[in-house]
Amino acid sequence: AQSVTQPDIHITVSEGASLELRCNYSYGATPYLFWYVQSPGQGLQLLLKYFSGDTLVQGIKGFEAEFKRSQSSFNLRKPSVHWSDAAEYFCAVGGTSYGKLTFGQGTILTVHP
Amino acid sequence: GAVVSQHPSRVICKSGTSVKIECRSLDFQATTMFWYRQFPKQSLMLMATSNEGSKATYEQGVEKDKFLINHASLTLSTLTVTSAHPEDSSFYICSARGIGTGVILDEKLFFGSGTQLSVL
């Protein structure tokens, strides 16, 4: 069965600092990997996704993620965090049944001025 | 970009009543829609998958008679929580999969804005 682990439940960074949110997955084949952001009471916005090809994926809002098959990881990064990035971030994995996603527990990001 | 409209955004109902949540794909045809549930401080859990014109497929542990899913058209899927109870209070969110040129990488997946259900 597929699973996703986001080890950090809550992360606090200062505005302008760099950010890395961790995601580890378990999947029997080549996975489709996603990062979503959710603001309070809102739906999900796709930040980026990985299907194949270049393992470093660029997304919206200055985010990027790197797929490392050997480590079963898909960590999300941003070089300089803005206060508006405060939200909850979900990593998700899907397979050939595209759209049927398994989500991690989420990481809440707090940004201090 | 493609948009999925989900209504209502928030609903409060009395225990024992039924609540219908709509999920519409506004500018694309959604052959498949997915319904997720998110309890407070937890992740999203897939409840069911619905394909247009056929019965929904429910995940293990989800009561199909309680959570009725209808996907009668390529742009609309509904989730009805029947005889709602306080333990059904949750954030429900749909996603819709649109088909591009038929190559899997062209398939698009979009989420609605979610519905916060509170059952008193």
Side-chain angles (χ1 to χ4, degrees), chain A residues 39-84:
Chain A
S39 297
Q42 301 295 313
L44 298 176
Q45 182 181 22
L46 178 67
L47 290 175
L48 47 79
K49 61 190 176 194
Y50 170 80
F51 285 167
S52 65
D54 193 347
T55 57
L56 184 62
V57 181
Q58 301 297 321
I60 63 171
K61 304 184 177 184
F63 286 94
E64 66 177 26
E66 186 170 12
F67 170 57
K68 293 186 178 180
R69 184 189 300 274
S70 62
Q71 299 177 18
S72 296
S73 69
F74 189 56
N75 295 346
L76 182 71
R77 300 192 294 250
K78 186 169 184 177
S80 179
V81 172
H82 189 263
W83 64 266
S84 60

Side-chain angles (χ1 to χ4, degrees), chain A residues 32 36 38 41-44 51 90 96-101 103-105, chain B residues 34 36 38 43-44 46 59 91 93 97 104-105 107-109 111-113:
Chain A
Y32 298 148
Y36 287 90
Q38 183 183 35
Q42 301 295 313
L44 298 176
F51 285 167
F90 290 95
T96 53
S97 180
Y98 183 71
K100 187 174 178 179
L101 303 182
F103 285 84
Q105 302 91 322
Chain B
F34 305 87
Y36 292 82
Q38 183 183 27
S43 187
L44 293 90
L46 180 66
E59 296 299 305
F91 187 71
I93 191 166
R97 185 174 81 187
I104 193 169
L105 292 181
E107 290 184 313
K108 308 296 183 184
L109 183 69
F111 281 83
S113 55

